[in-house]
Amino acid sequence: MSTVPARDKNLVDLYANHGAADPLVVACALDGRERDDLYLIAPEWVVVTGDKAVQSKAEQFGLTVLSNAEFAAVIDAAEGQT
């Protein structure tokens, strides 16, 4: 949250009931990536969201981001391979 300017209401605006969990999504992915960094072949942490502010914040930290449609396409492709 220290990277979010105080007046920026794109990621979190609790008065408008917007974004209460959004920072948590990014924080969990960052924590998971940090915990897994000790492994030679670490899993990739991906944030899936349609929220542009969350996408931007995740990309700022170097996380891979997929939109909802992109994620659905990955699922559909995987289902076609079974």
Side-chain angles (χ1 to χ4, degrees), residues 6-7 16 30 44 47-48 50 67 71 73 75:
R7 297 191 188 279
L30 289 171
E44 179 180 13
V47 172
V48 178
S67 68
F71 184 64
I75 298 295

Side-chain angles (χ1 to χ4, degrees), residues 1 3-4 11-12 19-34 45-49 51-65:
M1 288 301 297
T3 65
V4 179
L11 185 62
V12 177
D22 292 345
L24 187 60
V25 171
V26 176
C28 287
L30 289 171
D31 181 65
R33 183 177 70 180
E34 183 178 325
W45 283 83
V46 178
V47 172
V48 178
T49 182
D51 188 303
K52 298 293 184 193
V54 177
Q55 291 174 352
S56 176
K57 185 55 63 179
E59 289 170 347
Q60 179 183 344
F61 286 106
L63 292 165
T64 300
V65 176

